[in-house]
Amino acid sequence: MRITLIYPPGDFGVGSEKLTQLIDMAPPLGLAYIAAVLERAGHEVRIIDAKIESLSLEGVLKRVEDFNPDIVGISIYTADFCMAVSLASQLKKQGSYTIIVGGAHVSALPEEVMQQDCFDYGVVGEGERTVVELVDVIS
């Protein structure tokens, strides 16, 4: 399967822009781990780190459309939740992608996150094993 993993664009309208940019410079290692296990399982994976690449929501949507994945995974921190909902909602309008969410916010508040109809599946906790099993079931 073709899978795109996304660390969504930041919302610099909240808090100090310099502080937010500094925090967002940390690489999304969780997505790298997930990509590695998915590739090892035979899937084709692309990572979009919208923050480090300074991509807008529209830029992310274009990159997803260009790759045309079967599945989109979005990593969500609490500060990114609104942006992730917006991104997933736009992706649902753009194509028939299956959307999986994971990350700290999903692990902390899974019921609240999954109330959003733009997310198909949520992964709680460390997702390296779970996501491979989930993708296998989806395929």
Side-chain angles (χ1 to χ4, degrees):
M1 295 197 84
R2 294 167 62 91
I3 302 165
T4 298
L5 302 175
I6 303 172
Y7 189 43
D11 180 4
F12 294 130
V14 178
S16 165
E17 184 171 329
K18 281 190 182 277
L19 178 61
T20 304
Q21 286 175 339
L22 225 140
I23 291 167
D24 290 339
M25 293 303 287
L29 292 178
L31 288 185
Y33 295 141
I34 298 294
V37 297
L38 287 169
E39 285 179 344
R40 194 173 308 129
H43 303 287
E44 186 177 355
V45 183
R46 298 288 182 271
I47 295 177
I48 300 172
D49 184 346
K51 292 181 182 179
I52 203 71
E53 295 181 58
S54 299
L55 291 173
S56 65
L57 181 62
E58 293 75 22
V60 173
L61 293 170
K62 175 76 171 111
R63 293 266 302 275
V64 171
E65 182 179 37
D66 289 347
F67 183 59
N68 192 30
D70 303 294
I71 296 173
V72 174
I74 303 173
S75 180
I76 303 175
Y77 289 101
T78 300
D80 301 324
F81 181 67
C82 291
M83 179 58 77
V85 170
S86 179
L87 173 60
S89 297
Q90 290 297 318
L91 285 167
K92 286 291 186 185
K93 292 177 187 173
Q94 179 174 297
S96 59
Y97 309 114
T98 298
I99 299 180
I100 301 172
V101 292
H105 190 74
V106 180
S107 293
L109 300 167
E111 293 86 10
E112 288 82 352
V113 170
M114 295 312 297
Q115 287 177 2
Q116 303 296 319
D117 61 359
C118 56
F119 302 134
D120 297 306
Y121 301 97
V123 175
V124 174
E126 301 299 323
E128 287 83 356
R129 245 184 288 181
T130 304
V131 78
V132 172
E133 293 172 6
L134 179 57
V135 169
D136 287 346
V137 168
I138 293 169
S139 69

